[in-house]
Amino acid sequence: MERSRTVPVLVDFWAEWCGPCKQLGPILEKLANEAQGRWILAKVDVDANPQLGAYMQQLGIRGIPFVAAVVAGQLLPFLNGAAPEPQVRQAIDQLFDALRAEGLLPEDAGAPAPAADAAEQPAADPMYLEAETALQNGDLDGARTAFQKILDVNPQDEHARGGIALVDLSLRVRTVNAQQVMADAERNPGDVTLQTQAADVEMVSGRIDEAFQRLVDTVRRTAGDDRDAARKHLLGLFDVLQPGDPRVGKARRALQSALF
């Protein structure tokens, strides 16, 4: 807030489990670097700052990624959801143009840096652009198809694999009654289907450790096909996060212990 009195600040609300956040974050970082100090990017991990939950609700923030603009100590809602780089760039330019027109910013504040030679601008990968645009438009089936095209070309592409895992998770939970599932899972600890559904609900709620531990416990208490189903579901949830995420490493060790 204090810094915003001298230079505009964009605040990116994100979380490690949020796939679209991982797409938007690097775009914002790139544009902030290009701005060369004309505006500054701040990042807020909502999982690490749970005390902000009530404040975010007051701002009307119902999901992440969410970007707010802070100008002269005033916080203004700006972007809700991920978007391809050209759209984000255009939205930022339009925001600062509007603020300057209203006299809320000096003429040079937030102004875009001189454009680089077009030959020096790397071309956006159309396959990634297709997937990200589909996600932005809420087209989960289209996003999954686009990510699968990338994997067909490069089976080792971790970003595409994570994108598919995120889409599959989103597809599974969109018709689930979260409150009912959690209550049913509590009453039926041996029901693998309920336990995997409850883990999905916990994942999309940001309770990553709880989701992983639930499935590790399910593996430990089951056998045969039930145990294998819980194990495979847990491995699928690992892909939603980055491979180096410490929560994945911790859960993998717990899974190995439960299996052996």
Side-chain angles (χ1 to χ4, degrees), residues 19-179:
C21 296
K22 297 175 185 177
Q23 298 162 21
L24 180 61
I27 292 173
L28 292 171
E29 291 166 8
K30 174 185 176 182
L31 298 181
N33 288 333
E34 289 181 7
Q36 300 178 353
R38 293 173 176 82
W39 59 270
I40 292 173
L41 176 65
K43 298 177 73 68
V44 176
D45 183 342
V46 297
D47 284 347
N49 296 274
Q51 73 278 9
L52 293 178
Y55 181 61
M56 292 173 66
Q57 289 182 358
Q58 291 175 5
L59 292 173
I61 304 173
R62 296 293 180 264
I64 54 175
F66 174 81
V67 181
V70 188
V71 180
Q74 299 182 33
L75 190 147
L76 310 169
F78 175 46
L79 286 178
N80 198 342
E85 181 180 325
Q87 293 182 23
V88 177
R89 185 187 298 273
Q90 181 180 28
I92 292 174
D93 290 344
Q94 290 174 346
L95 169 69
F96 292 136
D97 285 345
L99 291 173
R100 282 192 294 271
E102 294 177 13
L104 298 177
L105 283 179
E107 283 301 315
D108 60 343
D117 188 330
E120 299 175 1
Q121 297 281 352
D125 188 324
M127 298 182 75
Y128 279 110
L129 185 59
E130 179 183 355
E132 291 164 2
T133 301
L135 281 176
Q136 172 65 15
N137 294 334
D139 180 7
L140 295 177
D141 293 326
R144 195 187 196 289
T145 299
F147 280 126
Q148 187 60 54
K149 289 179 183 177
I150 299 172
L151 278 183
D152 290 342
V153 175
N154 179 13
Q156 304 304 316
D157 192 304
E158 293 178 348
H159 177 71
R161 187 164 61 247
I164 286 181
L166 173 66
V167 168
D168 287 347
L169 173 62
S170 301
L171 288 169
R172 291 196 301 268
V173 300
R174 68 178 177 181
T175 57
V176 164
N177 183 323
Q179 186 174 2

